[in-house]
Amino acid sequence: QVQLVESGGGLVQPGGSLRLSCAASGNIARINVMGWYRQAPGKERELVADISRDGTTNYAESVKGRFIISRDNAKKTAYLQMSSLKPEDTAVYYCNVRGIRSGTYYSFEKWGQGTQVTVSS
């Protein structure tokens, strides 16, 4: 079993900042990619940013220059630092983790439960 615990969402004014965290635990041998996705009401889930084990990052065009994704491999935790937030960033943010299970060569993919981010004055 792999568990993800997300934290850090909330209500923030336009221009403000928030930091999301996603901690993985359980039967994990290696985490390859950690990422954040978001889904706004009436829209499809979209990739916000992801980061590979070696630190290579990938961002949606809409968040480049405002969001920074990072990870701590020892803590099996990913972070999303969000700055200069806009009302259009309002969504439920989901953590996504892909890796290899302990004691096997089987891969896994796990989604977090989601955390609400609301940008409003």
Side-chain angles (χ1 to χ4, degrees):
Q1 290 278 9
V2 175
Q3 296 84 36
L4 298 182
V5 176
E6 300 171 351
S7 61
L11 172 65
V12 64
Q13 292 187 342
S17 299
L18 281 175
R19 189 175 87 149
L20 306 182
S21 298
C22 172
S25 62
N27 195 24
I28 300 171
R30 187 178 75 243
I31 295 176
N32 293 325
V33 181
M34 304 185 81
W36 290 95
Y37 290 71
R38 68 186 180 187
Q39 187 167 20
K43 295 188 176 181
E44 293 189 354
R45 190 173 297 189
E46 63 175 358
L47 174 69
V48 177
D50 62 24
I51 182 168
S52 61
R53 186 170 180 81
D54 66 1
T56 302
T57 57
N58 179 40
Y59 293 95
E61 284 295 328
S62 60
V63 306
K64 282 183 179 178
R66 300 188 298 121
F67 292 8
I68 298 174
I69 189 169
S70 61
R71 63 188 279 177
D72 184 328
N73 289 330
K75 294 182 179 179
K76 298 186 178 66
T77 300
Y79 307 95
L80 185 68
Q81 178 67 47
M82 305 184 291
S83 303
S84 302
L85 283 159
K86 305 175 181 180
E88 51 263 44
D89 294 317
T90 295
V92 178
Y93 284 68
Y94 297 90
C95 178
N96 175 271
V97 173
R98 285 167 276 163
I100 305 296
R101 296 185 187 278
S102 295
T104 76
Y105 291 102
Y106 292 117
S107 63
F108 71 86
E109 179 175 21
K110 184 75 175 180
W111 289 92
Q113 79 280 5
T115 185
Q116 177 70 45
V117 171
T118 302
V119 185
S120 175
S121 55

